[in-house]
Amino acid sequence: MAGYVKRSRQTNGHTASKGGTEESPFFKWLLITVALLFSILFLLLPLVNVFAQALSKGWQAYWTALSEPDAWAAIKLTLLVAAITVPLNVVFGLAAAWAIAKFDFRGKSLLNTLIDLPFSVSPVVAGLMYVLLFGLQGYFGRWLADHEIKIIFAVPGIVIATIFITFPFVARELIPVMQATRSEQEQAALTLGATGWQTFWRVTLPSVKWGLLYGIILCNARAMGEFGAVSVVSGHITGQTDTMPLRIEKLYQEYNAAAAFAIASLLALLALLTLGIKTFLEWKQERDYERAQRAAESYEDSTAPTSREPEITAVRSQP
Amino acid sequence: MSIELKSVSKQFGEVAAVNNVTFSVNEGELLALLGPSGGGKTTVLRMIAGLEVPTEGDIYIRGQRVNDIKVQKRNIGFVFQNYALFQNMNVFKNIAFGLKIKKWKSADIKARVRELLELLGLEGLDKRYPHQLSGGQRQRVAIARALAPKPSVLLLDEPFGAVDAKIRQELREWLVRLHHDLNVTTLFVTHDQEEAMEVSNRIVIFSRGNLEQIGTPRDVYEQPANEFVARFIGVMNVLELEVFKNVGRAGELQFPAPGYADGERIRIGFRPFSVQISSDLNQFPYQAVVRQTYFLGVMLRLELELESGLLLRSRMSKEEYANLALYDGKKVSLQIRNYRILSREHEPLGPELTAPEKSSLFVGEGI
């Protein structure tokens, strides 16, 4: 009996599939199981473990670890770096994406490749590049020292390294959406009297806002989480140039696992929050679209009978 | 005078898109810019709008030279080929855009948008987004948006290009009515000569950047200025004749060609209506066979093959076809009533001539 039911379901499934392009149910479930198992094992479990370890010595210890001055300094520095890096990269990203999407110029492909450089260069190498430029032995080191400007082993170095690492996120998200926005829409705005600036704010930016937000979110997540490049340029001065990732590393090396995990949990929480915002934005966009769609359909329903009416009377009046 | 172009040229790098074009548009006129693609008509429209800058020459709108006036200040309404509606704004905001930019009061904006929604039959659609509209609705929104700030000129780039054939016909009639109601000077670009003939007061014909002729639909059809116009507007049979002793010959067809030297080759053209057919094989001088009949509604188009193998196109009404008892493969006799000597492209055409054959049934050329 059960076997019969199962088989009938299968045939149903087959009639619903498009001309046999669908995989067999066994294969489908195998894929789903593998994907789920892997994400639980390698993504979810470690994340849960971070929180479990952070709270292993109770809430009191957790709170102490976070409110300790050095930890607090690291949190503040991380937020400061993100607060400087993200807006700058939004401006750079917009400018670069605009240039690549809307203009043809010499060096366009070079710019396009350069944007991807931070993705392909190891973060450690990125950090070293700046040490070689701005460090005491670097090209500008002597001059900077003479003018008492400190970049390497100080906050400016951390900011510069973070800008480098997070450079591609905004631009890469924006270039495809900007290319998709037809420049005709912008020309239409011009014919309606809008200045270039008004056109940018009212037409270009709104049409790329989702791409931009997504880029900002990714950029922010990376800015707060970057370790390698920042580690090279920071100098690890406790309470001064330690960002949260560096602080976590240091505490862990000092066998203070609970405190390390406490800050790690906070960083993870920020990441989760970022993901949460991203999901919310996507959901909101979907909802707005569906609402508009539903409004359109209900309009169709309400107007359909009236538009049909004259036809009927015409038929009646014919004989 | 609403718009005037004086010796306007436009170069795109090495390519001359528009060559020394001069014409003027009267206030309230509905003018078609017609020509094959690449003819320069869209460039002319965009130069009037201010979206392109002429390389040479002057453009005047209502007497004011606008060469150095930016697109924002020209007070024109422009409708793009693909409408270019703002995807992130609903219909109301799209139409209100130009008014907001011009800092109208919000109550005035509302009133003006309502007025336009009504005028263009878009009531109830104000909250919809462009992707939820049909092609025809999108076009009307685009026109409403262009009209909202009360432009002195409405410019439309291939306004019927992006909709299917049936809606096209409705939109044409609708545009004529709209123009009649608003009486705003309107220029539209099209590559479809039928569309230009049907919709406009006057037609400007372009080819390869040159202005070939400007005139009413009837003018350009009946008095084409040159071979290009004659062949582009309507259907035309074109034959190449070799002249010998003041008579041009192509196959068995003969036309008087006085004044041409022996051995010279000239081209002549005649409309399908000029081919007169009889089922009496002795009535007209040439014998032919009906090869193919195309039904075009009330009218029919016939392809006739002469004994020498020349193919001619003819046109007649259903009644005529029935009276002559024609069918594919039937033998007929024919004559050509009126023809033009086309000589060479861009040269003025010779006047229309009447063939001297025994044309007892001569009737003036119809359209």
Side-chain angles (χ1 to χ4, degrees), chain B residues 44-285:
Chain B
V44 167
L45 196 77
R46 290 173 64 87
M47 283 194 290
I48 295 169
L51 293 167
E52 305 285 355
V53 180
T55 318
E56 270 173 69
D58 298 315
I59 298 173
Y60 296 83
I61 297 180
R62 289 188 167 165
Q64 186 193 12
R65 187 174 174 275
V66 293
N67 285 44
D68 306 319
I69 293 178
K70 281 193 176 167
V71 48
Q72 290 96 334
K73 303 285 174 204
R74 289 198 189 184
N75 194 28
I76 48 99
F78 198 99
V79 178
F80 290 82
Q81 187 172 1
N82 296 304
Y83 314 138
L85 296 176
F86 304 129
Q87 297 297 324
N88 57 307
M89 300 179 203
N90 62 27
V91 169
F92 183 96
K93 285 184 178 160
N94 262 284
I95 300 174
F97 186 89
L99 306 175
K100 274 201 180 139
I101 294 291
K102 292 196 165 64
K103 301 219 161 58
W104 281 35
K105 286 195 195 109
S106 100
D108 294 344
I109 292 179
K110 266 188 194 149
R112 177 72 178 148
V113 175
R114 292 268 157 265
E115 189 189 338
L116 285 161
L117 287 171
E118 204 175 306
L119 179 71
L120 298 178
L122 293 165
E123 299 106 321
L125 300 178
D126 51 338
K127 294 215 167 51
R128 283 219 207 165
Y129 283 83
H131 61 86
Q132 297 164 325
L133 300 172
S134 70
Q137 288 168 338
R138 273 178 217 168
Q139 197 210 32
R140 280 178 283 158
V141 173
I143 293 178
R145 182 179 70 179
L147 286 173
K150 302 188 175 170
S152 58
V153 188
L154 182 62
L155 306 169
L156 305 106
D157 187 7
E158 293 275 5
F160 313 108
V163 288
D164 58 67
K166 190 164 158 39
I167 301 171
R168 244 177 131 109
Q169 184 58 39
E170 286 170 26
L171 283 171
R172 284 183 201 174
E173 290 163 14
W174 172 83
L175 181 67
V176 173
R177 275 202 305 280
L178 182 80
H179 175 259
H180 186 262
D181 292 347
L182 294 173
N183 208 31
V184 58
T185 309
T186 305
L187 272 74
F188 72 98
V189 161
T190 179
H191 61 266
D192 181 340
Q193 48 100 8
E194 229 174 274
E195 195 165 281
M197 300 281 276
E198 185 179 322
V199 175
S200 63
N201 305 140
R202 282 199 302 159
I203 303 179
V204 191
I205 299 167
F206 291 94
S207 121
R208 295 180 196 165
N210 297 305
L211 192 158
E212 302 289 350
Q213 190 173 5
I214 177 165
T216 64
R218 206 186 164 107
D219 283 346
V220 295
Y221 187 84
E222 292 183 351
Q223 307 294 332
N226 54 40
E227 180 172 349
F228 174 81
V229 176
R231 297 178 76 157
F232 191 68
I233 301 287
V235 181
M236 181 158 271
N237 292 293
V238 177
L239 294 175
E240 196 167 273
L241 308 180
E242 194 170 342
V243 180
F244 185 69
K245 290 192 172 161
N246 293 329
V247 176
R249 285 166 223 269
E252 66 266 60
L253 297 179
Q254 298 188 7
F255 300 86
Y260 290 91
D262 284 1
E264 194 173 346
R265 301 185 79 83
I266 58 168
R267 277 204 295 276
I268 63 150
F270 48 94
R271 301 284 183 200
F273 280 108
S274 292
V275 180
Q276 204 169 7
I277 298 172
S278 170
S279 40
D280 175 0
L281 292 180
N282 295 317
Q283 187 176 355
F284 295 132

Side-chain angles (χ1 to χ4, degrees), chain A residues 92-116:
Chain A
F92 292 155
L94 270 172
W98 184 281
I100 284 173
K102 307 281 179 190
F103 302 121
D104 277 318
F105 53 92
R106 257 168 214 267
K108 180 166 162 169
S109 60
L110 179 71
L111 179 61
N112 220 339
T113 315
L114 275 181
I115 290 174
D116 280 338

Side-chain angles (χ1 to χ4, degrees), chain A residues 67-217:
Chain A
S67 54
E68 180 237 342
D70 291 343
W72 185 228
I75 294 168
K76 279 198 290 188
L77 180 61
T78 298
L79 293 178
L80 174 74
V81 169
I84 298 171
T85 310
V86 174
L88 279 176
N89 268 342
V90 167
V91 175
F92 292 155
L94 270 172
W98 184 281
I100 284 173
K102 307 281 179 190
F103 302 121
D104 277 318
F105 53 92
R106 257 168 214 267
K108 180 166 162 169
S109 60
L110 179 71
L111 179 61
N112 220 339
T113 315
L114 275 181
I115 290 174
D116 280 338
L117 189 66
F119 275 157
S120 48
V121 170
S122 158
V124 180
V125 176
L128 275 174
M129 292 183 334
Y130 288 109
V131 173
L132 288 176
L133 274 182
F134 302 125
L136 260 184
Q137 266 69 49
Y139 292 111
F140 306 117
R142 179 65 42 211
W143 186 88
L144 288 168
D146 289 346
H147 292 78
E148 293 187 5
I149 301 169
K150 227 170 144 37
I151 290 181
I152 297 305
F153 305 145
V155 177
I158 296 173
V159 171
I160 291 171
T162 311
I163 287 175
F164 178 86
I165 292 299
T166 57
F167 187 80
F169 290 100
V170 176
R172 269 287 155 253
E173 286 300 321
L174 277 181
I175 289 169
V177 278
M178 277 212 178
Q179 277 168 337
T181 321
R182 301 186 58 106
S183 62
E184 274 193 351
Q185 279 184 50
E186 282 145 15
Q187 290 182 7
L190 297 180
T191 64
L192 290 163
T195 60
W197 196 236
Q198 282 172 320
T199 303
F200 175 77
W201 281 108
R202 289 169 189 242
V203 177
T204 313
L205 204 54
S207 61
V208 301
K209 71 178 168 192
W210 297 110
L212 180 62
L213 272 174
Y214 197 53
I216 290 174
I217 284 164

